[in-house]
Amino acid sequence: MTIQIGDRIPSATLSQGTPEGPRPVNTDEFFAGKTVALFAVPGAFTPTCSARHLPGYVDNKAELKAKGVDVIACISVNDAFVMNAWAESQGLTGDDVVMLADGNGDFTRTIGLVLDGKGFGLGERSQRYSMLVKDGVVTQLNIEQGGEFKVSSAEHLLAQL
């Protein structure tokens, strides 16, 4: 079953790359008491994700924050080392976008947004989406259709605020 507007983000443990190594991130704590713009990409370093999706959130960071977003976070079914390396390659700091790793895809499976990328040699990944989460509850949800990049963009989410 796919997560819906009005649903609470499920309890899960993600990870975040730090200079000391991967750090566990509990979703209950991460989303509590704040407004989070969360977007998911099928894979770090992939063309659309690197050239358009992630940069769009960085470029629109000030506007999102002005409209009440406390944290911008990117999630992918990659490990914390890959997510950290991708952030570094994009020149990001933790103040720009929090990079969250769903290494085994457990969170992605729980919210029902798995992308079967086996035909492309990617295995199971996340569908491309964006959501606005207020105090752990989904208030906006934008899921892309296969191969598209429209409704999960920063600009689209910004227009919904």
Side-chain angles (χ1 to χ4, degrees):
M1 182 175 178
T2 302
I3 196 164
Q4 301 290 318
I5 291 173
D7 289 349
R8 180 162 290 285
I9 292 291
S11 294
T13 301
L14 303 169
S15 61
Q16 182 179 11
T18 71
E20 296 78 35
R23 177 181 68 81
V25 175
N26 176 281
T27 56
D28 295 331
E29 295 169 12
F30 185 79
F31 290 99
K34 57 183 102 61
T35 299
V36 179
L38 177 69
F39 67 101
V41 297
F45 293 103
T46 56
T48 300
C49 305
S50 292
R52 297 175 57 203
H53 208 172
L54 178 58
Y57 280 90
V58 174
D59 293 345
N60 286 283
K61 177 178 80 169
E63 290 86 351
L64 287 161
K65 296 216 172 193
K67 295 241 181 167
V69 171
D70 299 306
V71 176
I72 301 168
C74 175
I75 189 168
S76 185
V77 179
N78 286 114
D79 63 61
F81 297 105
V82 168
M83 293 298 282
N84 196 46
W86 189 34
E88 288 176 4
S89 77
Q90 295 278 318
L92 303 182
T93 68
D95 294 335
D96 293 322
V97 176
V98 176
M99 304 298 270
L100 298 173
D102 183 20
N104 293 324
D106 296 336
F107 176 81
T108 300
R109 270 190 296 287
T110 299
I111 64 170
L113 291 172
V114 172
L115 169 73
D116 182 356
K118 293 175 190 151
F120 305 103
L122 298 173
E124 283 189 344
R125 296 296 180 109
S126 175
Q127 290 182 40
R128 188 181 304 279
Y129 66 84
S130 70
M131 63 172 72
L132 190 69
V133 182
K134 292 185 180 182
D135 195 23
V137 176
V138 178
T139 61
Q140 294 290 340
L141 178 61
N142 308 297
I143 304 169
E144 296 288 0
Q145 296 304 307
E148 291 186 352
F149 175 64
K150 297 175 185 173
V151 299
S152 66
S153 71
E155 296 80 6
H156 185 84
L157 188 61
L158 188 56
Q160 294 177 311
L161 299 177

